[in-house]
Amino acid sequence: MTLTHPEDTVYGQVGDATVPLRFTDLSAEYKVLRERAVALDLSGHTLIEISGPGAVDFAQRVLARDVEYLTSERCMMSLVLDDEGRVVDQVLAFGREDGLLLESSVGAGTRLLAHLRSVGDDDVEITDRSADLTVIGLEGPYAWGVVGRLIDGELASLPFEAVSDTVWNDVEIVFARTGFTGEYGYQMIVPIESAADLWRATLEHVTPSGQEALELAMLEVRQPIPRLETAGDVNVIEIGANWLVDVTKDEFVGKEAVLAAFESRQGRRTVGFSGGDTVPEPGARVLAGGEDVGEVVFAVRSVGLGTTLGLARVEAGLAAAGLELTVEGAGVTTLTSPYIVPKSWSIPII
Amino acid sequence: MTVDELRAKAAERQQTCSQIKKMIVSRLDLEVEPDWITDDQPLFGRGLELDSLDVLELYVAIEAEFGVALYDSEMAVFGSISRLADEVNPRLRAAA
């Protein structure tokens, strides 16, 4: 799809993918995402097909959430963990007639594929579909209007995480109501040979947004960003991604380690913070009353808040909103999520 | 503030969040341990995946447990456990 991007698009390497970081200007793209709707080039997300007689059992074993009854009309976000309970990736799992389709997070396809193959069974086929399928997203408080103009208005009001196999311009696509930013969100899985046409058609209704604006908006609603939050020896509990793990499920790779981490009540916890004129680097120390209590996970300049916004991993007893802490000499305040209330929460689909 | 004063302040919020989690698990008959739910966890859509019927149940439960009426409140109140804590314990909001 890169041929259809504007000439001055700024690209960056994210894991195994080269992705558009911004098409024009971060601030402008962010504002359109939060106030109207944007198109997202999600081709950095790898699609992996899980098929064969053992597909569902395999998926049930490798995904941390329960997908046993995931029909072809549903999708679900889940973590994929290793035996030690560390995050391999955060995926969107689509139920399919003959198994599942897993969508990796941006740039994580190679690692996810290698992990799946390393724990694969003989009766399961694991196929990288990134050569023939790709993903285009829509996100924003009025994204539903774009769906109506682009494909079919009825699709706009699908329930969250509902999936419909539909047709656009005589091309079969998989359409899903999803969302990363708290705004109305949709994804279209499209054959690669038709992707450029669908992208162009989408851009007749909305402007595109790059990875930077998307990740800023994700951070604002505490949607985990695996590539920025899972580095190092950190477990699910410390990340705060518990909701992407179903501990009531009988068995899955990493369950024992996750439960051990949970029951130990040890370790650090993640909390959002804002404040300061500069953006601290990951690993910058966090002080409470002059005492070192943790470190910055990552931080960015927030367009919506007009200040630095980030995540810190601190001792569990200090992982709470409303505290005045210090990062690199600057006063910061810990926050209650969401840090920005999505406009979509007060706008009905009509 | 000293680190101990900050810990005490954090503990008050965590206590309110814990009370809310126990209430949600009990009233909605969820299978998870209350502590499994994180303070930043969204309640609707992603996260706890509660629906509009659950909201009605929560309105009643919150009023019974905390004496706070949230009827017709904006959905932002349910943006996370911690956000809900601000609503049911005004001291947290004042101190934030």
Side-chain angles (χ1 to χ4, degrees), chain A residues 65 221 242 315 322 337-338, chain B residues 7 9 36 46 49 80 83:
Chain A
R65 290 186 71 202
V221 295
N242 306 29
E315 65 172 63
S337 167
Chain B
R7 286 189 184 110
K9 190 175 176 186
W36 181 255
R46 66 198 184 101
E49 299 185 338
S80 67
R83 179 63 69 105

Side-chain angles (χ1 to χ4, degrees), chain B residues 28 43-45 49-59 75 78:
Chain B
L28 302 181
L43 276 65
F44 295 95
E49 299 185 338
L50 306 187
D51 59 26
S52 52
L53 286 179
D54 296 325
V55 175
L56 296 176
E57 179 70 26
L58 279 186
Y59 279 149
M75 286 301 290
F78 298 102

Side-chain angles (χ1 to χ4, degrees), chain A residues 65 160-161 221-224 237 240 242-243 245 247-248 258 262 265 270 272 288-289 291 293 315-325 335-339 341 345, chain B residues 1-3 6-11 13-14 31-33 35-42 45-49 74-84 86 95-96:
Chain A
R65 290 186 71 202
F160 184 63
E161 296 192 331
V221 295
R222 269 306 267 128
Q223 173 72 34
I237 313 297
N242 306 29
W243 60 279
V245 175
V247 280
T248 65
V258 169
F262 176 63
R265 315 276 167 182
T270 302
E291 202 171 294
V293 296
E315 65 172 63
L318 286 165
L323 305 184
E324 302 294 331
L325 306 178
L335 302 173
T336 290
S337 167
Y339 316 133
V341 175
W345 292 7
Chain B
M1 276 189 178
T2 67
V3 68
L6 288 165
R7 286 189 184 110
K9 190 175 176 186
R13 177 175 292 275
Q14 290 171 338
E31 288 183 25
V32 294
E33 277 189 49
D35 284 351
W36 181 255
I37 303 168
T38 62
D39 295 354
D40 272 349
Q41 188 159 330
R46 66 198 184 101
L48 272 180
E49 299 185 338
E74 290 182 2
M75 286 301 290
V77 169
F78 298 102
S80 67
I81 298 287
S82 186
R83 179 63 69 105
L84 193 49
D86 282 331

